[in-house]
Amino acid sequence: LGTFQQLGPFTALNLSNLTITGTMELTNMYQFNTSMIVYVGGTLRHKSNNASHEYNITFTAQNVTVASGGKITAEGRGYPRGALTQAGSGPGGGGGEAGDSVAGGGSHGGYGAMGVTASALRVYGSISNPRDLGSAGGSDNGELGGNGGGAIFINATDTLNNSGFIDANGTNGVLSAGGGGAGGSILIHANTIKGNGKFDARGGQNAYTAARSGGGGRIAVHYNESQFTGTLNANGGVQGTATGNGGGGTVFRKARNSSFVQLIIDNGGSGGSLAFTEINETLGLDNETTEIIIGANAIVNLTGSFNAPYLKNLSVLGTFQQLGPFTALNLSNLTITGTMELTNMYQFNTS
């Protein structure tokens, strides 16, 4: 009901009910009963990470309920920002700036917007099995970047009811020049998922319109039955200008008892040429995917080989650039209301 910080090893293998109406903070040294009942009306979070991935939320339970007003959060608890003038930590840390300039946003599922002189680093992690932290934004000589989002993995063997908030957002850069942190990871396995809440792994932004935002993170939900009516959002941070917006992250949904496997890449604001979303098989692009939706503000580059034998529907509302080999011999519907650019390395269904 108050605040509980788990700093030492904690083993509770016969725990039946975990009820949180205050705040509970976990590290990486805990073991719980895998058939417990979890109710979150307050806040469940993990400890903030340092320059390596040490802490996350990972547990198995029979039923998990996040009530209205409750949250399971890893916001800003991923890779941390560095010192002044330094790049953000993490594999996709935003570039730092030695002068009074604009630092870059962190990358993860989508690229962070590049700073004035430093280039974006790289995207990483898995589209279908995300477990990584988001990278931090860079700092200039007077203003710090934002932290990346942390990582959440919940395995509900019966029901996950999210009527509150489950998030791994990156945090905003400080003042006018700190780069936003990238969104982290949310991975859900559940027999049944329901509720009207939110899953968020968004990139951080900055109130200053010339600053650079972080890229979106990654969300993946695997289930047998879905009654969920809420939202899933892995957008990059939005600045209002194409040069400042982060690239969209990835939202993956897979129905384990049917053939429905969907990948959505969307964004709150166009990333222009400085921030986009990269997809390929090395980034966990599931070849059982049946539907891909590229939202109106998203810029997606297929940078490696992708053989999609089950892909039925491809909707391009934004921009899709096919740079690597792309085979979709069972594609039924190709809908383009945005822009699709092809090379010579593609094969589609002739009917």
Side-chain angles (χ1 to χ4, degrees):
L1 309 181
T3 299
F4 176 71
Q5 293 177 297
Q6 177 258 318
L7 303 176
F10 181 26
T11 302
L13 297 181
N14 288 311
L15 185 67
S16 297
N17 297 285
L18 174 59
T19 302
I20 303 168
T21 57
T23 298
M24 183 174 186
E25 181 176 285
L26 298 174
T27 64
N28 57 355
M29 302 176 289
Y30 56 90
Q31 288 182 286
F32 296 143
N33 179 6
T34 58
S35 59
M36 65 181 176
I37 307 299
V38 177
Y39 175 88
V40 181
T43 299
L44 173 62
R45 68 191 186 204
H46 66 73
K47 187 177 180 181
S48 295
N49 281 274
N50 296 309
S52 62
H53 186 170
E54 297 181 72
Y55 309 118
N56 54 64
I57 292 173
T58 299
F59 67 86
T60 296
Q62 180 179 344
N63 292 312
V64 179
T65 298
V66 183
S68 177
K71 62 181 177 179
I72 298 177
T73 181
E75 181 173 19
R77 294 177 176 269
Y79 289 110
R81 62 195 180 196
L84 294 176
T85 75
Q86 300 300 305
S89 62
E97 296 288 344
D100 184 14
S101 190
V102 177
S107 301
H108 178 200
Y111 280 95
M114 290 187 291
V116 171
T117 61
S119 61
L121 293 181
R122 67 182 179 93
V123 295
Y124 56 96
S126 172
I127 292 170
S128 56
N129 187 40
R131 302 296 295 270
D132 290 280
L133 307 175
S135 292
S139 305
D140 78 345
N141 66 353
E143 292 156 356
L144 296 169
N147 296 331
I152 297 170
F153 171 41
I154 300 171
N155 179 23
T157 57
D158 190 353
T159 300
L160 171 66
N161 180 346
N162 178 16
S163 294
F165 196 41
I166 297 177
D167 84 282
N169 293 329
T171 57
N172 298 342
V174 176
L175 298 176
S176 62
S185 296
I186 299 173
L187 174 60
I188 303 295
H189 284 266
N191 180 51
T192 300
I193 180 171
K194 62 182 183 179
N196 58 359
K198 295 181 178 181
F199 293 94
D200 275 10
R202 295 178 287 108
Q205 52 193 39
N206 191 301
Y208 183 57
T209 56
R212 303 293 189 256
S213 295
R218 300 194 188 277
I219 300 172
V221 181
H222 302 249
Y223 58 87
N224 289 335
E225 179 183 359
S226 178
Q227 303 168 16
F228 183 67
T229 59
T231 61
L232 300 94
N233 186 335
N235 290 353
V238 178
Q239 290 306 110
T241 62
T243 56
N245 295 332
T250 56
V251 174
F252 178 83
R253 299 194 302 162
K254 186 171 187 174
R256 297 182 300 211
N257 60 352
S258 74
S259 60
F260 177 78
V261 184
Q262 182 188 64
L263 171 63
I264 300 175
I265 301 169
D266 204 353
N267 212 10
S270 174
S273 60
L274 300 184
F276 57 92
T277 306
E278 181 178 351
I279 60 173
N280 59 58
E281 290 178 349
T282 67
L283 291 171
L285 186 56
D286 193 326
N287 68 0
E288 294 183 357
T289 301
T290 58
E291 181 176 44
I292 296 176
I293 300 174
I294 297 171
N297 289 316
I299 300 171
V300 177
N301 289 355
L302 177 64
T303 56
S305 176
F306 181 37
N307 180 22
Y310 300 98
L311 185 64
K312 299 291 186 182
N313 302 298
L314 173 59
S315 299
V316 181
L317 313 180
T319 300
F320 177 63
Q321 294 175 298
Q322 177 258 321
L323 304 176
F326 181 26
T327 303
L329 296 181
N330 287 310
L331 186 66
S332 299
N333 299 289
L334 173 59
T335 303
I336 305 168
T337 59
T339 300
M340 182 171 182
E341 181 176 283
L342 298 174
T343 65
N344 58 352
M345 301 177 289
Y346 58 89
Q347 289 181 286
F348 295 148
N349 180 9
T350 58
S351 59

